[in-house]
Amino acid sequence: MSNLELAPAETDCPPDAATGTRSDLLDGRDVPLGRHTVVRRLLPHTNRRTVGAWCFFDHFGPENIADTPGMQVPPHPHCGLQTVTWLLSGEVLHRDSLGTLATITPGQLNLMTAGFGIAHSEESPPEHMPVMHGLQLWIALPESVTEARFEHHAALPELTYGGVSMTVVIGTFDGTSSPARVHTPLVGVQITAQGSASLPVQPSWEYAAILIDGSATVAGQALTPGSLLYLGTSRSSLEISGDGRLFLIGGEPFEEELVMWWNFVARSHEQIVEARSAWMARERFGEVHGYAGDRLPAPELPTVRLKPRSRHGRPMPPS
Ligand code: MN
């Protein structure tokens, strides 16, 4: 997945409200993804920049692509983040500059760790299922993680609590960990509710949830597809009920200041400029082979200087 906005704005958020237990329903916004697809972007949001190290959350579909090419995202670069791809329906063919060629189907995790730099393309195969439905999320990496990797996981742990079952897609939930490699304390789980349960969560972590389909109530708040319920910190349990599927993300609040622009996560304006120049010069990110089409050019940089932001949205004070 790529941020295909023609003029990606610097993510400039007002200060978050005080930390603690929250129940903020944040509306996503529709963003075009190439010529054929529209996604709902839930993070970053005007009022919420990150949840743990999760810094980007797109929900695409369900969409009938029987008579269209479906997802067609040409080769583009990433740095400073991991991409998490999780499908509910359909399939996506991933190619990257490490030489990976991997098709993901529902119930499997594709995790790409960009480190200092990687490039990839994502496409619906020529012969594809009629319905495409899925999620793509990005996780901000600590600055020390520079190695690029690709992982595909078809077997993931399952947990059940009362009328709620879940797949631990990535990270750790209640002591059970996904085999996927992460670099900060976090979690991403798909939840299927057919009744109710009280889920054990970590008071020092912040959490947020979306409804994928059906209906569900989380911490007393009814969810609708297309919005993100930010739950804040300081909870030891989370009440969930309903008849539907959800995705819950969480993690230790990510305190490193970040500059996010286009498909890059970095720490300074200069690092973003350098990453953009390297991509345009065909350096650093490698080549994606086999995609039928051109690579994506980087958009123009904004005329203003990109400022590092803390998770609270403000520029960090000089230290
Ligand atoms: Mn991408």
Side-chain angles (χ1 to χ4, degrees):
M1 193 86 33
S2 171
N3 185 349
L4 293 180
E5 290 178 275
L6 288 176
E10 180 183 12
T11 305
D12 186 1
C13 305
D16 288 354
T19 53
T21 302
R22 315 264 322 162
S23 190
D24 304 334
L25 201 55
L26 307 174
D27 285 336
R29 59 197 171 100
D30 287 348
V31 176
L33 184 75
R35 277 174 296 168
H36 306 288
T37 310
V38 172
V39 302
R40 281 186 298 290
R41 184 149 301 157
L42 300 150
L43 280 181
H45 185 278
T46 311
N47 295 324
R48 186 60 51 187
R49 186 171 164 77
T50 52
V51 177
W54 298 97
C55 62
F56 183 96
F57 193 163
D58 273 357
H59 180 186
F60 51 94
E63 184 182 354
N64 187 331
I65 59 166
D67 300 318
T68 79
M71 180 184 290
Q72 295 296 327
V73 183
H76 60 276
H78 287 291
C79 65
L81 58 86
Q82 292 178 295
T83 64
V84 171
T85 308
W86 180 252
L87 295 182
L88 291 316
S89 178
E91 61 277 275
V92 172
L93 174 61
H94 160 100
R95 306 171 194 270
D96 67 39
S97 53
L98 300 173
T100 309
L101 183 63
T103 300
I104 182 177
T105 58
Q108 305 179 342
L109 166 66
N110 268 8
L111 175 66
M112 186 179 77
T113 303
F116 187 60
I118 197 168
H120 73 152
S121 62
E122 295 158 291
E123 62 197 286
S124 301
E127 299 289 320
H128 50 252
M129 302 283 285
V131 176
M132 177 174 69
H133 188 193
L135 310 175
Q136 190 176 89
L137 304 96
W138 299 353
I139 299 168
L141 286 170
E143 197 171 13
S144 57
V145 179
T146 56
E147 184 197 6
R149 295 168 57 87
F150 178 82
E151 297 172 46
H152 176 87
H153 296 284
L156 296 163
E158 308 273 346
L159 297 171
T160 300
Y161 301 88
V164 168
S165 59
M166 68 169 71
T167 304
V168 183
V169 177
I170 188 163
T172 301
F173 192 91
D174 193 19
T176 296
S177 295
S178 159
R181 188 187 292 195
V182 294
H183 300 273
T184 50
L186 60 81
V187 72
V189 294
Q190 181 185 298
I191 293 172
T192 301
Q194 289 177 303
S196 63
S198 176
L199 304 181
V201 295
Q202 307 236 32
S204 62
W205 289 15
E206 55 185 343
Y207 291 88
I210 68 153
L211 182 66
I212 296 169
D213 52 23
S215 60
T217 297
V218 177
Q221 175 86 52
L223 289 187
T224 49
S227 54
L228 179 84
L229 178 64
Y230 178 72
L231 294 155
T233 60
S234 311
R235 295 174 190 270
S236 55
S237 65
L238 196 57
E239 310 298 323
I240 293 191
S241 63
D243 183 6
R245 294 188 293 179
L246 306 100
F247 203 87
L248 176 74
I249 59 174
E252 196 173 274
F254 192 81
E255 298 291 356
E256 285 188 47
E257 59 187 82
L258 300 173
V259 183
M260 286 180 64
W261 181 81
W262 194 41
N263 294 312
F264 305 135
V265 171
R267 299 301 186 277
S268 69
H269 176 82
E270 288 73 19
Q271 289 174 351
I272 295 284
V273 170
E274 188 181 301
R276 183 189 181 282
S277 301
W279 173 247
M280 297 307 283
R282 304 187 91 105
E283 294 166 356
R284 176 170 154 182
F285 296 94
E287 293 291 332
V288 178
H289 298 289
Y291 183 81
D294 292 335
R295 65 214 288 279
L296 275 184
E300 292 299 323
L301 280 161
T303 51
V304 296
R305 192 178 163 77
L306 302 167
K307 289 187 277 298
R309 308 277 168 172
S310 76
R311 72 189 182 90
H312 307 290
R314 290 160 292 197
M316 294 295 278
S319 54

